[in-house]
Amino acid sequence: MAEAHQAVAFQFTITPEGIDLRLSYQALSQIYLSGLRSWKKRISRMRNRVIKGVYPASPSSWLFVVIAILATMYMRSDPSMGLIAKIQEHLPVSLSLSVQGQTMLSVLVFSTLLWLSLILTLRFCLKLLLSYHRWMFEQHGHISTTTKVWVTLVRLLSGRKPLLYSYQTSLPCLPVPPIKDTLERYLESVRPLLSGPGFQRMTVLAAQFENSLGNRLQRYLKLKALWATNYVSDWWEEYIYLRGRGPIMVNSNYYGMDFLYVTPTPIQAARAGNTITALLLYRRKVNSEQLTPVSPATMFCISLSLSTCVSSPDVLQHWQDSEFVTVYHRGRYFRLWVYKAGRLLSPREIEYQIQRILDDPSPPGPGEDRLGALTAGDRVPWCAVRKQYFSSGVNKRSLDCIERAAFFVTLDDEEQGMMGEDPVGNLDRYAKSLLHGKCYDRWFDKSFSVVVYKNGKNGLNAEHSWADAPTVAHLWEFTLATDAFQLGYTEDGHCKGEVERSLPPPQRLTWDIPVEVQEQVSISLSVAQALADDVDCHVFPFRDFGKGRIKKLKISPDAFIQLALQLAYYRDRKTFCLTYEASMTRLFREGRTETVRSCSNEGCAFVKAVESGEGPEHCRRLFRLAAEKHQNLYRLAMTGSGIDRHLFCLYVVSKYLGVESPFLTEVLSEPWRLSTSQTPVQQLELFDMKNHPDFISLGGGFGPTSTTWGSFGPVADDGYGVSYIIVGEDMINYHVSCKHSFSETDSHRFGAQISRALLDLLSVLTPAKTENSQAQDKKQQ
């Protein structure tokens, strides 16, 4: 309503007696408060910019340097070795100042220059320190002297509490690996997947590539690495996500789920009120940089979490400080203002506004109810329709409201969650609903769409180009924890706070949808519906044991889970496959992801030994080798020595140069039949698992075709997508997806294979106990 208030703030009419000027003092008051809030934000951002700009020093250190220089000058000592006098000679105001004033000004100039030099030196030293990654390769419990010294120096240089983005300029740039190392690691990764002649053929292709075209492409890539902040991220965003022409629903977007056992309130409007409030509080913390950074790691994607949208022609756009959200309910779109006179509405007021939308009986306009299907279908028709019918007039204004909103909210008519007589089936349907819904009731182009169900359950669907799952998980963890533990609800399930009944109602967005657009909506919906119907989802919590039991065996939980997935896949398909595991490169500026090729020679040897019934000691020895190999691959990926992003960028350079590489073409034609990802819990301090053990996150998942090669590689129709989250010490939640259209894959069957493989691995790694030790364990239990 702010726009309407501003429009009527001044009214005047011309009469024979003169001009009759009328002022709306209420509107002027709101304009003043809105402007005051805007200036406070500007001042806060300027302050944060200064603090970040001088990090790892502090602004107050300037005063310390000035006082120190003045003190030495007072003691008739010149710490500048004559520079202060030189500065004094060249001061342009020397004639208008006294000698004492000239000296003081010269000292201030010298002190400032010295202070800036010290800051640059400290930042350079911190950058050098953060470039050291050997600590990741040391054995657990065996820390070298070099690493101990490194930890001490890093703590000294970054001891002051950093803001959210303080580390960004001190992080090193992602290095370009030597092409020889990348090719050697690639050949090693495909060795268990190729026959003898096939592997020999790839070896020859790799050698030819290295000795001819490869070095030429590498030189261009190194030139880009010198110039760009990150030699991968911009091309990855553009070519993998934004230039894809297929549907982003299922193929790219992913989802996050609510608590598994708990629904804080069964009232839909109340859950929406607290969820919206929590997300806006998260934005406030992001804008003020009060969130604690993952130290030291890049946090650049977090700034794009709200008010971001993919707009045609597939450009990622971000707007600052949107004061409204867009709400979809029963085929209608509403703009809901969440600020009034510069203050954030209380959760109870937002609940009140949401209930107004739920109670609104008006029907959707012609073509309005399924308009969101345009964002779920193929991208080319949506771009064409948008350009022709949504670039002006009422349609553009309504589309702008959706795209410029802080985020998109869907008030779903269905009930979801692990409930009823079929909790397993309902959990699977809950995941499918978040992944694609009805294919028209989410706005898949938004950075994320929040879904609040009729029974109070919630979740979100996230667009992939702006950020990866850990960034969205960070936001969603904060939202769930703030909703349940900070905002809370009254005894009758409503939001807390007071309601100002004079709040203007949410604004209904209006559209003018011609027949041609309605026809395209139907076509896009049929494409999206076929894609959604083909998704086979299975979500299940594994409760037999968790990371606590695995760590007692002195094994990395992630390595344990990945080897269990290899065993499960081998049992399911009687073969091994190229396996994608996402890892992060957040130790580098603007780092996003890298691939861990989890199917290794050592892992395959272990799986074959287990399946052939080899002895326990032999299997344990092979498992230790496989787990150590996996950990080393993960560390290499995190420290900039991965394989796939380097090969991807070499391929992009070859396309720019207009040259073909048989080696790169073949590498990028290999499908990932097992695509895996761990969703880490990043803010353990927000959840009290001891006093609130039922508040367990389900994590999130993705579709079976969400292989991150995007348009550069084939989609594995016969593959599995597996996402998992390690919750607490005794639980692992899994999300498995595949396609119904491929008869040899089945998500429930593969889920059962995963559970069986986990139990079998634990059995193999746990030495047989004597009767006395078993009796002691029973006594302890």
Side-chain angles (χ1 to χ4, degrees), residues 273-286:
N274 265 11
T275 301
I276 292 171
T277 302
L279 285 166
L280 294 170
L281 291 175
Y282 182 85
R283 182 177 70 176
R284 180 182 291 174
K285 283 184 171 290
V286 170

Side-chain angles (χ1 to χ4, degrees), residues 37-52 163 284 287-290:
R37 176 171 170 265
S38 177
W39 275 104
K40 285 181 178 179
K41 284 184 178 180
R42 291 180 187 178
I43 293 171
S44 176
R45 284 173 182 152
M46 288 175 61
R47 170 183 167 274
N48 289 340
R49 220 172 272 134
V50 170
I51 294 175
K52 286 183 300 183
L163 295 176
R284 180 182 291 174
N287 289 343
S288 61
E289 301 188 33
Q290 294 175 356

Side-chain angles (χ1 to χ4, degrees), residues 362-525:
S362 61
E368 179 185 12
D369 56 339
R370 300 185 176 186
L371 190 64
L374 291 171
T375 67
D378 291 322
R379 306 301 292 174
V380 173
W382 168 217
C383 289
V385 166
R386 177 195 175 104
K387 184 177 180 180
Q388 185 173 357
Y389 297 101
F390 292 85
S391 58
S392 63
V394 64
N395 286 345
K396 184 180 188 305
R397 290 194 293 273
S398 295
L399 182 61
D400 283 347
C401 284
I402 294 176
E403 295 188 338
R404 293 172 183 266
F407 48 89
F408 191 84
V409 180
T410 295
L411 302 175
D412 204 300
D413 288 337
E414 298 177 349
E415 295 186 356
Q416 296 291 351
M418 191 174 71
M419 57 188 185
E421 298 179 356
D422 182 20
V424 175
N426 286 330
L427 205 53
D428 297 344
R429 284 184 281 274
Y430 176 28
K432 275 181 65 68
S433 175
L434 287 174
L435 184 61
H436 53 69
K438 299 182 180 69
C439 302
Y440 56 80
D441 53 349
R442 287 82 168 111
W443 201 265
F444 294 101
D445 285 353
K446 283 296 289 181
S447 55
F448 63 90
S449 298
V450 175
V451 184
V452 184
Y453 294 99
K454 191 175 181 180
N455 61 338
K457 214 68 182 171
N458 71 3
L460 59 77
N461 180 287
E463 198 274 325
H464 211 321
S465 66
W466 67 277
D468 303 295
T471 301
V472 176
H474 192 275
L475 172 148
W476 195 236
E477 285 172 10
F478 179 92
T479 302
L480 292 179
T482 303
D483 169 21
F485 304 126
Q486 294 186 24
L487 298 176
Y489 298 88
T490 61
E491 291 184 0
D492 54 357
H494 290 282
C495 294
K496 297 177 181 178
E498 301 298 325
V499 179
E500 184 180 326
R501 301 287 175 177
S502 63
L503 287 172
Q507 294 174 294
R508 174 80 181 273
L509 302 186
T510 56
W511 308 88
D512 179 16
I513 311 297
V515 176
E516 295 82 0
V517 176
Q518 295 183 37
E519 291 175 353
Q520 182 55 54
V521 168
S522 299
I523 295 171
S524 295
L525 181 58

